[in-house]
Every structure is written in C-alpha cells, then in structure tokens.
Amino acid sequence: MKSIFDNVSQSCSKTVTKTYSTSFSLATKMLAPTIRQDIYNIYGFVRFADEIVDSFHDYNQKELFDEFEEHLHQAIERKISLNPILNSFQETYHKYQIDLALVNAFMKSMRTDLHKTTYLTTEEYQDYIYGSADVVGLMCLKVFVNGDEIQYNSLKKSAMSLGSAFQKVNFLRDLKSDYEELNRTYFPNTDLSQLDEVSKQAIINEIEQDFELGLQGIKELPLDAKFGVFMAYRYYSQLLKKLKKTPALQIKNARIRVPNYKKIELLTRSYVKYQLNLL
C-alpha cells in the first residue's frame, strides 16, 4: 500500500531535520502536530538541495543537482517519487497548493552556488536571499495558514523578512567556512578578509531591521504555528546577540554557536511568554 511508503517517506524527512539541525528540529516540535510533518517535509527537500551544492565536492555536483531537479519536477507532476524526501515534499506541495514559482526560485539560488562565489551588488545579494531563504519562509507560511490566501498575503512580507534574517545570521555565523572552504562571500561591498567592526555592525543593523518586521508577523500567526516560529526567532535572535558581542576578527576565525543548555533556557522562557500572551 502506498500509505506505508508515504509514512516511510515522512519518517525520512523527519530524520533529516533532526539529524541536520537540532535547533530547527526543536522549533518544529513546538508546532501543532497537525502541521509539524509538513514542515519536516519542506526542510528535508531544501536540505538535500543545499547539501548537493555545499558538501558533495568529490562528485559531479552539477550532474547530481540536475538529476535532483528533474526528479523534483517529476514528483510534483506524478504526485509520487521513489526518492522518499521528494515524495514527502510533493505531498505537502499539493496539500497546500504551494506556488511552483517559489520552488523554482529556491532551486535557482541553489544552482547559483555551483558557480557563483561573490556577490558584488545589493541586487545580486537580495535576489539570492529571496531564492534561498525568503521563499522557504513563504512555503512554510502556506502551511502555517493552512493555505488561506488572505492570511498568506497579509503575512507574506513579514515571513520574507524573517527568512532573510535567518539566512543573514547564517551567513555571518558561517563566514569562516563559507570563505575558507567554499570560497563564497555573500555580503556585497564587504571585504571579508578584512572584516572590521564597522562592516560587521552594518550587517547586524540590517538583520535587526528584518527581525523587527518578522516579529510583527509572528504575533499574527495562527496558534498552531505561533510558538514554534517564535522559538526559532528567539534562537536566531540569541545567535545574533552572540555575534554582536563577538569581535569581527573572532567571527572570521571561528563558528559561533548557541550551546544546548542555552537552547533549553530559551525554550523555557519563550514558553512562559507564550503562555502569558506576551508575544
């Protein structure tokens, strides 16, 4: 029976989420059970695409990516795939009528990572962030509002801002590995080999503006999604605080993390705020 295969597929997406990101997995657990699996399904898809361009350097990455993209569109068209990650994603895609343009924009940005290493203009930078992060936020938003187009359109801008903030924090946190291992520099008009406090602060100011708009949208999310998204916001806000306090030279030489005990503390405090209706 296909239902057994679908269950196995969903278990694979959940395992991918738990294995690759403890913080995202923790936040997803805070979502209502009715939508939790669909977020696992989206994460599994975007994680696999990202892994191809970021990790599989001993293989023909373009060939692998081409195959993955072909199988993605086949899964969407056929409503089934023997790739369990794509099979679970296509189910969520059809269930919430996710716009194919969002999926294509994401794949476009991921493909860019195969050949582009430097972003010289703000337009290039924003285009990449839209495809790599904003559209992922919009896919998740479709799930959060249960496909309601009115709610989706009213929260679209804030969801994109939150996605941008998360991605920019990742860029700053992963600056060392992106620059040294992947030879990538995402921030335009910034010499990462000589990152100073002024340049770092300019980046942080930009992220804080994104967070401010993103938080406004979190407050208006349905109850099924609000606490889980707020938990993710709190985690990334804490990570940004650490980056803000860390000298620019140290950011270039080490990956800044939020320890597990701090994540639990954030969870506890966030839950109290949620229960007291302080969001």
Side-chain angles (χ1 to χ4, degrees):
M1 295 177 64
K2 185 173 180 293
S3 60
I4 297 177
F5 177 65
D6 289 339
N7 289 337
V8 171
S9 298
Q10 292 178 357
S11 294
C12 288
S13 294
K14 182 178 180 179
T15 298
V16 168
T17 308
K18 293 172 65 176
T19 303
Y20 276 99
S21 178
T22 56
S23 55
F24 189 84
S25 179
L26 180 62
T28 304
K29 286 180 182 178
M30 301 303 110
L31 299 171
T34 52
I35 61 174
R36 195 178 300 156
Q37 182 62 55
D38 289 297
I39 300 304
Y40 288 142
N41 295 348
I42 292 172
Y43 182 89
F45 157 61
V46 300
R47 171 51 62 184
F48 266 33
D50 191 55
E51 281 302 295
I52 294 172
V53 299
D54 281 358
S55 302
F56 301 160
H57 306 300
D58 294 333
Y59 305 89
N60 187 324
Q61 290 168 290
K62 182 182 181 303
E63 186 176 275
L64 290 173
F65 193 85
D66 287 344
E67 289 178 2
F68 184 76
E69 187 167 37
E70 180 183 358
H71 294 161
L72 164 66
H73 287 290
Q74 288 175 349
I76 289 173
E77 181 180 349
R78 298 171 178 173
K79 299 186 178 181
I80 189 173
S81 175
L82 294 182
N83 178 326
I85 298 300
L86 293 179
N87 186 59
S88 59
F89 174 70
Q90 66 80 21
E91 183 177 349
T92 296
Y93 172 90
H94 289 292
K95 180 179 178 181
Y96 295 97
Q97 297 184 321
I98 292 173
D99 190 343
L100 182 60
L102 300 179
V103 178
N104 289 339
F106 172 76
M107 294 299 286
K108 177 185 175 184
S109 282
M110 291 301 98
R111 183 177 291 279
T112 300
D113 278 337
L114 291 173
H115 59 83
K116 191 173 180 62
T117 59
T118 304
Y119 291 79
L120 300 176
T121 68
T122 300
E123 184 179 0
E124 288 180 339
Y125 170 65
Q126 291 177 341
D127 186 56
Y128 178 83
I129 288 180
Y130 172 76
S132 65
D134 294 5
V135 298
V136 178
L138 293 176
M139 284 188 250
C140 292
L141 180 61
K142 273 281 189 175
V143 176
F144 296 153
V145 301
N146 196 27
D148 186 302
E149 282 297 314
I150 295 176
Q151 271 192 304
Y152 175 80
N153 288 325
S154 70
L155 295 174
K156 185 176 179 179
K157 188 174 181 180
S158 61
M160 291 171 62
S161 293
L162 194 62
S164 291
F166 289 170
Q167 183 70 300
K168 292 170 188 177
V169 170
N170 286 338
F171 286 164
L172 198 55
R173 178 197 61 188
D174 298 336
L175 191 151
K176 181 178 185 294
S177 60
D178 283 342
Y179 186 66
E180 294 183 0
E181 299 172 21
L182 301 175
N183 193 34
R184 293 181 192 153
T185 55
Y186 291 106
F187 297 112
N189 304 315
T190 303
D191 184 356
L192 297 186
S193 66
Q194 299 181 29
L195 182 69
D196 56 24
E197 293 301 322
V198 174
S199 298
K200 187 193 83 169
Q201 189 58 51
I203 293 169
I204 288 174
N205 290 343
E206 182 181 316
I207 297 172
E208 288 177 336
Q209 290 176 8
D210 287 330
F211 269 136
E212 184 177 351
L213 181 55
L215 180 58
Q216 294 174 17
I218 292 173
K219 295 176 181 179
E220 299 176 26
L221 283 172
L223 290 177
D224 284 356
K226 185 180 291 186
F227 180 57
V229 180
F230 181 64
M231 183 61 207
Y233 161 83
R234 289 274 288 166
Y235 166 73
Y236 273 93
S237 295
Q238 182 64 32
L239 189 53
L240 184 62
K241 286 180 182 178
K242 288 198 69 173
L243 290 164
K244 195 172 184 177
K245 295 177 181 177
T246 303
L249 181 62
Q250 189 175 338
I251 292 176
K252 289 193 299 182
N253 295 320
R255 191 175 192 264
I256 308 302
R257 299 177 181 272
V258 175
N260 288 335
Y261 78 86
K262 190 65 179 179
K263 292 177 184 178
I264 300 302
E265 180 184 329
L266 285 171
L267 173 60
T268 304
R269 291 183 177 181
S270 298
Y271 186 70
V272 170
K273 284 191 173 186
Y274 176 74
Q275 287 293 92
L276 294 176
N277 199 27
L278 296 177
L279 295 189

